[in-house]
Structures are given as C-alpha cells and as structure tokens.
C-alpha cells in the first residue's frame, strides 16, 4: 500500500524538494549560488580555487541527492551489506571522477566556461586525498562498497628533494582549504575507551566490566562516492577523534588548566597523522590506539544490536575488530562465548596484502595490557580455546602449539595479529593467485593444515577502468568507444569487451591513431615536467617508467644500476654507434618511509645519477633520467598513459600482487617484470610474446639466498657488468662514493633481494625491449594486444567474485 508521509504537509515538502541539476543553466545557477552563499564571494574576487570549490560543492549537492535515494532504498530493502575496513583510503582527486561518473563533465565545462573559468585549471586546484601509502590504500579506494577509515588531519607526507638528493618530508595539510567533499555527521558520535581496568564478573558467564581510563569521542564524516553511470552512491565514513569534553573536568577542578588542555590534545592526536610506513611492523602505542579507535567506532554502528549483518574485513590493522566484536557480544549483549565466536568468525573476511614476514603486525603484550586490558583477556581466551582444538587434532605436538599460538614467546611476549585475523575470519584470501599460494605454504602453513585448504583462496585484485582509462586517458577512451561503436557507458562496465578490438591490431589506420594518442600522452607528460620542474624531455624516446613505494623488495635499485650500465655502455661507443641506439627516458617516482634509510639512499643515488646523465652532451640524446618528486595518484594519472614500458621487477615471491602493472597495461604500456605477483596472471592474459619476463623464479629464490649466505660468490663472478657498475659508483662517478657504500654492501654481502643474481638476466630483458621497440609497427601491435586483454583486471570482476563467492551479496537497484 501507499506509505504514509512521515511529517508535515506532503505537498509543501514535495513542491520544495530539489532535483538534480543536469543542464547548463541549472548547473550555473547552482555554482553561482555557492559562490554567493557558501563562499561569500562574488565575480569580482573569485579565483580558480574559489571557482573549484563552488563547482565541487554544486557537484556534491547532486551526490547528496543520489545518496539520499540510495539510503532510502537500502533502508526499505534491508539487504545484507559489506563494509570494507581499511586504515588507508588513497582516494586522489574527486571532482573529475565525480563529473565523469555522473556523466556531467561536458555540461560543467560549458557552464564554467560561461562563468569565465577553464575546467582543466579548476581540476588542478584540488588537493589529492592521500590517506594511504600505496597499493593497499588505492585498492580500498577502488572497491564499490561502503568504506570505514580514519580522517587523518595529515595524509601521506609531501616529499621534497634537497639539493644533495636527500628525501625531505613535509606535512600534507590537505584539509587546509576546507574539504568540499565531506559532510560532518554531528549526530553520529561514539565514545571510545582506552586504558582503565577489566574485571571479570566470575558469575558463571564469560562477562567482564571494563571501566576507568580515558574516553575519547569518535566523530563521523561522510564522503560520498558516486557509482559509475548510476544513481547508486556509496559512502566512505571517516572517523575523527575528539576530546570527550572540551577539556578534562577533573584536572580543571583541581586547578590544573594546562593538563586539562593537554588531555584534550592527546585525544585529537589519535587521528592526526597517517603512518607513512607500509610493509613494516610498528611498535607505536599511537598506532594501536588508531586501530582500536577505528574498529570500536565502526562496531558501534549498529544501533541497537543484535548484530546480524556485520563488516567484511580487511588486513590485520582491522584485526582489533575481532576481540572488539567479541567484547560487545559477550560483555554488553550477554551472548554465550561459543555463539559469540560463531557470529564473529562468520562476520569477518581477511584479505592479506603482503607476503613479507617482517610486515606482519605484532603487538607487545604489556602494551595491550595497558591500553586495552579487556581485549587482552579476550585474546587470551580465544587463544586458549584455539590451542585446545589444535592439541586435540595434533596431540602432543608441542612445537606446533608454540608455532601457532597467538602469543609469541619472548621478552616481551607479542600478539601475532595475522594469526588472530586468520582464525577469527570465515575466509582468508590473497590479492592474486601466486601470493596466496606463497602465504599458504609459508606464514599460514600450519593454519592450512589445521583448518583445511578450503578456507584459503584468492580474489585477484582489479583496478577501475573509470579512473585508470576513461579519466586519465580520455583520448584512448574515445578511440575505444568509436571503434567498438558503443558508448563508453557500456564497455567501461564490461571490460572484457575490449577483446573485440584485437583484430584491429592488424589495421594500419587504427594503429596510427593508437600510436598518435600515445605520443600526445607523452607530450602531456613532457609539458607537466616542463611546467613543474623546468626540465626538457625528449618525447621521441621510449618512455620507461617505474612508480611505486620505494622498497628494497621492489628493486628500484636494480633499475638504477641498469641505467648506469646503459650509460657506461653508451660511453664506450663511438658517436656513430650511438646513433643506432634506441633513445630512452627513464622515470622514477617513489616515496620512501621516513625512517627507511637504505630506501632514501637509493633515491639519493637516482637523483645524482640523473644530474650527471642529463648533463652529458655525449649521451643525453640517448638516455635521460628523471626522478619526479612527491609521487601521488594525480601524478600517476599523467605518467601511466605516457609509458611505453613499465617495470615491475620485485624479487620473485615478494610482491603480493601489484596493481599499477594492470594500470599501465590497460593504457597500452608494455610490461617488463619478474615472474611475481599479478605479473604472472597478466602474462597469461596478454600472451608470452607481449611481455618481457626475467629473473629467478620463486621456488629457486630460497636456495639462491641460502647460497648467498653460506657459499657466497663475489659480484665479479656473478655479473662482471654489475661489478663494473658498483665500482664506478663507489669511485665517485655520481658524487662522493662513500655515501653509497652501505647500499652497495647490501648487494656485495648477503644480497637478500638477488640484485647480482638477477642482473644479467635483467640487462638481457632490457635489450629484448630495445630490439622489440625498433620495429615500431610490431610494438604498437603488442601495445594494442596488451590493453585489449585486460578485461580480467577490472575491479568490477574482483568485486563480483567477492560478492558472489564470499559475501553472498546482491546488487540493489536504485530507482530513478
Ligand atoms: C600492497 C601490496 C601490493 C598489492 C596491494 C593491494 C600494501 C601493504 N600491500 O602488491 O604490496 O597489490 O597491497 O593488494 O600496501
């Protein structure tokens, strides 16, 4: 039947409710309105930043209307929902993405034109929302589910490069100019407790009372995320921590005003910075505070419980959600332990994003005892029941018990969060096929033996073709639509359709258009570098790109040593010989964790090699090298479409998946890589003849490492070419060689990442790339074949797999 209007006069409401503004006059009216009232400015004093803000606010109005409809539908239908918990959401910019998803870019450009502003300039005004470190945070931003994260006041640091080539870090005050995309939800606030004491009731139930300590307030901010060509609008809820009262009343009464203010500062500090560290463990109390603060706020979302639908989860920072849910069920809801454990283990799904054992999080027991005493009790209880079950299955196997215990012995004892995530989740999955195999045979081997292999599987990561093709490479997107003869709305949602273009690789006219677009994207990058850094780039050269966090396992080191080798080879040649060489421009962009000294040394080497190379009149036409500072999502959007070849060269068995490899390939850049992570599945899709693989394979790596330690061979013997490179660095060809000794020694001794072992194979692969590039027509064919076989790597495919085989979700249609 007809629903009753909830409040007041239905007609008055309905007559006054706003509709979407989708035509140019409506959009202009809305923008000018925001200029006048939201910004209190006028045509006389409006700059690009103001115009950007007004445009963004008007787009936000549209998103809110869609969001309201989405909410209403969800409330009516009560479908099961998935929540993606991640401490990182690396969003990038929002305006262009929203305009494309709403299909309003043309109208908005026309409107801002009329108002005297150029849309492309306005887009440049937006600051990246950089609430993440790398692939993990970016992945979180690309999955179309509801997200829960933290509203860091400072995102990932801004990277500056000193004249010596040293990375310097400056804060990223991204909220400084106000953030038009967020909506504070003053009605959504929860108290979160820290410290205090936990007392078991000992009344025959497992309940305990946790009291005292410090309480802070979690305040919600909602960021609306438009779905693509649909009304359906998702929400990213970010929590900010605030003091519970303006200041601590007790201290105030005692006349200690300063302490009162300090306690309010310490509450705000919880969400003040993103930890600029991926792939390493943290020993920081504040980091554990962040994790608990966020899982606790998220867990309060269901008001009132019982909790029937609960978050699907993510990586071990959110593992604290497991004991927190147990605490709510057992202590607050009076649910018996076994039932609570059953609900919990049906609620969470754990996605593993790293195969590096040193990156698995552990927390010292004394810290947990101090900060979250009740949670420590719960973790101990979980562990006790768990080990009893293990003992039952493997009687008397004490070593196994010690290996699998959630508590690692030592001084102090440590809580192994990855193990807790594993036993507290319904499924454990990895980001690609091979990394999941690695996890199953190494870090979680015992758990596979105990729980059965069925619990462990993989959902290969994906990327969104909306941002990573349509938005960053509009010309290629248009060519694809034209050639498929369908609107982009169709193929962007069914990326497998690209396969239909494969025959066009044989069509000379199509190849010409394809190549011209690549060339214009290279010029766009050259323009960007010219205007931001004042450097002149040879756009007739091959563009060779490696962009990702700087880490030894990702081996930017191998790349830079390869560049030096190329330089030495060029110097050995006569001027005549050089003319036959295929010119190359090598780009790096990468941030190193501020405390990761060797990584920063590698940046320093890259910068100083660039200085020598780019100034050498004999070689600079054939080899240029650039380190672009302050890598970000926005910079990636310019670099990726311009690349001819990109490098994904981690030591085999170390990269959990990689997702930028997919982005490059989707834009017709070829892949040079190791047989690692998602490279392998990319190779399967595009075919062996269209990728360049090299290096030792995962099963061999362990033996090589063993030999490097117990039967070391000098670099001279493994690779004379590399030995020469190391010696010119050490002798000071790129400035004081002594500075680089610690880095060079990691290769001479131990060589954990197999730099010397893989070097010759790498140089050989680079040569194969050069040879292939000489045949331009064949190269373009490879480029077309690569892009057109990327269907599998759409995030739509990944999310469908999650929804169908893990979460049991069905899409909800939002009526127009
Ligand atoms: C990263 C891995 C990548 C992977 C992404 C997304 C972290 C901690 N992990 O290989 O290094 O592609 O996660 O799964 O950022």
């Amino acid at each position: 039947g007809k629903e009753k209007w909830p409040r007041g006069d239905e007609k008055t409401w309905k007559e006054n409710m706003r509709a979407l503004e989708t035509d140019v006059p409506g959009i202009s009216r809305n923008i000018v309105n925001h200029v006048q009232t939201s910004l209190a400015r006028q045509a006389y004093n409006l700059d690009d930043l103001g115009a950007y803000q007004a445009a963004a606010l008007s787009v936000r109005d549209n998103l809110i209307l869609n969001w309201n409809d989405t909410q209403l539908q969800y409330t009516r239908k009560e479908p099961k929902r998935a929540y993606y918990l991640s401490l990182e959401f690396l969003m990038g910019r929002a305006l262009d993405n929203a305009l494309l998803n709403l299909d309003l870019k043309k109208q908005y450009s026309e409107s801002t034109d009329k108002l005297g502003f150029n849309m492309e300039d306005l887009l440049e005004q937006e600051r990246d929302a950089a609430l993440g470190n790398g692939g993990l945070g970016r992945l979180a931003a690309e999955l179309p589910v509801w997200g829960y994260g933290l509203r860091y006041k400072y995102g990932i640091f801004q990277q500056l490069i000193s004249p010596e080539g040293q990375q310097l870090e400056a804060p990223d005050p991204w909220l400084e100019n106000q953030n038009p995309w967020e909506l504070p939800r003053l009605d959504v606030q929860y108290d979160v407790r820290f410290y205090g004491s936990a007392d078991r009731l000992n009344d025959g139930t497992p309940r305990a009372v946790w009291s005292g300590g410090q309480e802070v307030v979690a305040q919600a901010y909602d960021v609306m995320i438009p779905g693509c060509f649909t009304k359906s609008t998702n929400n990213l809820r970010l929590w900010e921590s605030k003091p519970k009262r303006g200041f601590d009343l007790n201290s105030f009464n005692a006349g200690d005003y300063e302490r009162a203010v300090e306690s309010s500062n310490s509450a705000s500090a919880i969400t003040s910075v993103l930890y600029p560290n991926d792939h390493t463990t943290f020993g920081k109390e504040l980091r554990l505070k962040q994790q608990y603060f966020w899982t606790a706020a998220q867990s309060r979302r269901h008001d009132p419980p019982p909790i029937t639908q609960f978050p699907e989860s993510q990586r071990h920072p959110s593992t604290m959600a497991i004991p927190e849910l147990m605490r709510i069920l057992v202590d607050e809801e009076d649910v018996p332990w076994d039932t609570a454990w059953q609900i919990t283990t049906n609620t969470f799904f754990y996605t593993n994003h790293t195969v590096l054992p040193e990156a698995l999080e552990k927390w010292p027991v004394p810290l947990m005892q101090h900060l979250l005493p009740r949670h420590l009790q719960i973790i101990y209880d979980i562990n006790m029941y768990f080990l009893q079950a293990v003992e039952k299955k493997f009687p008397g196997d004490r070593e196994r018990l010690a290996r699998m215990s959630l508590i690692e012995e030592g001084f102090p004892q440590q809580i192994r969060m990855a193990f807790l995530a594993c036993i507290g989740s319904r499924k454990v999955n990895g980001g690609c096929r091979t990394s999941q195999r690695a996890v199953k045979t190494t870090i979680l081997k015992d758990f596979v033996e105990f729980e059965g292999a069925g619990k462990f599987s993989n959902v290969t990561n994906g990327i969104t073709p909306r941002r990573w093709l349509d938005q960053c490479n509009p010309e290629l997107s248009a060519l694809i639509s034209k050639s498929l003869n369908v609107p982009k709305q169709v193929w962007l949602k069914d990326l497998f359709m690209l396969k239909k273009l494969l025959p066009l690789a044989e069509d000379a006219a199509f190849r010409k258009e394809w190549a011209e677009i690549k060339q214009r994207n290279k010029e766009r990058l050259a323009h960007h570098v010219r205007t931001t850094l004042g450097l002149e780039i040879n756009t007739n050269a091959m563009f060779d790109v490696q962009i990702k966090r700087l880490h030894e396992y990702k081996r930017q080191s191998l790349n830079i040593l390869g560049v030096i080798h190329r330089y030495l080879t060029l110097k050995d040649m006569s001027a005549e010989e050089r003319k036959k060489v295929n010119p190359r421009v090598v780009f790096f962009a990468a941030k190193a964790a501020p405390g990761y000294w060797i990584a920063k040394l590698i940046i320093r080497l890259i910068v100083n090699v660039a200085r020598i190379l780019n100034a050498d009149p004999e070689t600079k036409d054939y080899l240029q090298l650039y380190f672009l500072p302050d890598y970000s999502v926005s910079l990636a959007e310019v670099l990726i479409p311009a690349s001819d070849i990109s490098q994904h060269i981690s030591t085999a068995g170390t990269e959990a998946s990689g997702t930028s490899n997919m982005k490059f390939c989707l834009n017709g850049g070829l892949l040079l890589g190791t047989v690692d992570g998602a490279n392998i599945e990319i190779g399967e899709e595009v075919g062996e003849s269209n990728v360049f693989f090299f290096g030792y394979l995962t099963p061999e790596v362990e033996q090589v490492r063993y030999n490097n330690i117990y039967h070391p061979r000098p670099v001279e013997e493994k690779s004379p070419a590399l030995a020469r490179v190391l010696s010119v660095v050490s002798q000071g060809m790129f400035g004081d060689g002594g500075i680089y000794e610690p880095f060079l020694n990691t290769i001479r001794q131990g060589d954990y990442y197999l730099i010397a072992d893989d070097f010759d194979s790498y140089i050989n692969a680079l040569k194969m790339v050069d040879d292939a590039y000489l045949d331009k027509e064949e190269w373009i064919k490879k480029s077309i074949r690569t892009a057109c076989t990327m269907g599998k790597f759409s995030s739509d495919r990944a999310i469908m797999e999650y929804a169908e085989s893990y979460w049991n979700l069905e899409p909800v249609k939002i009526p127009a």
Side-chain angles (χ1 to χ4, degrees), residues 134-136 139 278-279 315 353 431 461 553-554 655-659:
L136 167 143
L139 188 81
D278 53 350
H279 292 105
R315 204 200 175 201
H353 293 269
N461 287 160
Y553 90 82
K554 294 184 186 283
E655 188 69 273
S657 157
T659 45

Side-chain angles (χ1 to χ4, degrees), residues 751-765:
D751 199 6
Y752 188 77
Y753 294 104
L754 276 62
I755 304 288
D757 305 283
D758 275 346
F759 194 75
D760 287 357
S761 166
Y762 175 60
I763 295 301
N764 192 40

Side-chain angles (χ1 to χ4, degrees), residues 564 568 722-735 737 744:
I564 299 173
L568 297 178
L722 178 63
R724 182 174 175 214
V725 170
L726 299 192
S727 85
V728 301
V729 173
S730 164
Q731 284 157 16
M733 183 178 268
F734 310 104
L744 303 177

Side-chain angles (χ1 to χ4, degrees), residues 193-197 210-214 285 289 370-373:
R193 184 185 307 280
F194 293 102
Y195 312 107
S197 61
W210 178 26
S211 57
Q214 175 197 16
E285 177 171 338
K289 266 190 155 175
H370 178 56
L371 192 65
L372 300 165

Side-chain angles (χ1 to χ4, degrees), residues 287-545:
R287 167 87 176 180
L288 181 56
K289 266 190 155 175
Q290 286 187 336
Q291 291 181 9
Y292 177 65
F293 169 80
W294 151 73
T295 51
Q298 149 63 21
S299 305
R300 297 299 196 299
R301 194 195 164 272
H302 295 267
D303 242 344
I307 297 160
T308 47
Q309 329 146 331
F310 216 79
E312 321 287 356
S313 163
Q314 229 315 322
R315 204 200 175 201
H316 34 287
S318 51
T319 307
M320 280 312 295
I322 292 170
E324 173 65 0
L325 180 55
M326 286 299 285
R327 188 188 69 79
I328 293 173
L329 293 171
V330 169
D331 292 355
E332 294 179 6
E333 298 296 313
D334 206 3
V335 177
W337 181 274
D338 289 346
T339 318
W341 185 240
Q342 206 182 343
I343 294 176
T344 302
T345 50
N346 268 317
T347 294
F348 293 103
F349 291 82
Y350 166 34
T351 301
N352 175 284
H353 293 269
T354 181
V355 281
L356 304 182
E358 70 269 26
L360 299 180
E361 210 150 46
K362 291 178 191 165
W363 290 111
V365 167
L367 173 62
M368 190 69 78
Q369 169 67 48
H370 178 56
L371 192 65
L372 300 165
R374 177 57 183 145
H375 297 78
L376 183 63
Q377 284 176 349
I378 290 172
I379 291 169
Y380 274 144
D381 288 352
I382 294 173
N383 197 35
M384 184 184 70
Y385 294 123
F386 171 65
L387 292 180
Q388 281 172 358
V390 176
E391 157 70 27
K392 211 166 147 197
K393 184 156 182 182
F394 302 98
D397 192 344
R398 284 202 217 149
E399 269 176 31
R400 182 183 296 267
L401 290 179
R403 283 201 309 271
M404 294 179 77
S405 173
L406 299 184
I407 310 294
E408 181 179 271
E409 289 308 324
F411 304 98
Q413 293 177 313
Q414 308 252 15
I415 306 165
R416 296 156 159 167
M417 300 305 276
F419 291 3
L420 179 57
C422 174
I423 67 171
S425 302
R426 187 150 106 211
K427 285 260 169 82
V428 177
N429 81 275
C432 79
R433 194 181 346 111
T434 39
S435 71
Q436 185 60 350
R437 196 181 303 142
V439 167
K440 278 164 73 175
T441 53
T442 57
I443 42 187
L444 296 181
K445 182 162 177 275
D446 289 318
F447 293 81
V448 176
E449 283 172 22
F450 175 64
E451 304 204 52
K455 175 166 173 173
F456 303 81
S457 70
N458 79 281
V459 175
T460 298
N461 287 160
I463 55 162
T464 166
R466 270 74 66 182
R467 184 179 292 263
W468 297 112
L469 179 51
D470 186 41
Q471 184 184 323
C472 72
N473 199 345
E475 284 199 61
L476 193 63
S477 171
L479 175 64
I480 292 170
S481 300
K482 185 180 89 180
S483 312
L484 284 172
N485 198 20
V486 294
K488 67 181 184 184
Q489 279 81 343
V490 179
W491 63 264
L492 279 172
K493 287 191 153 187
D494 179 7
L495 204 60
F496 284 107
M497 282 182 76
L498 293 185
K499 264 221 162 99
K500 294 195 182 149
L501 298 178
L502 278 177
L504 291 180
E506 305 308 318
D507 176 330
F510 182 77
R511 281 204 303 273
K512 185 159 173 279
E513 280 191 80
W514 188 276
E516 283 167 359
I517 292 171
K518 179 63 78 187
Q519 188 57 33
R520 282 195 290 276
N521 286 329
K522 288 164 82 165
E523 270 142 29
R524 182 176 74 165
L525 171 59
H527 174 79
H528 177 87
V529 173
R530 191 180 310 124
T531 48
T532 54
L533 301 174
L535 299 170
E536 211 49 59
I537 290 180
N538 174 9
T539 52
N540 292 322
M542 167 194 272
F543 278 19
D544 173 344
V545 185

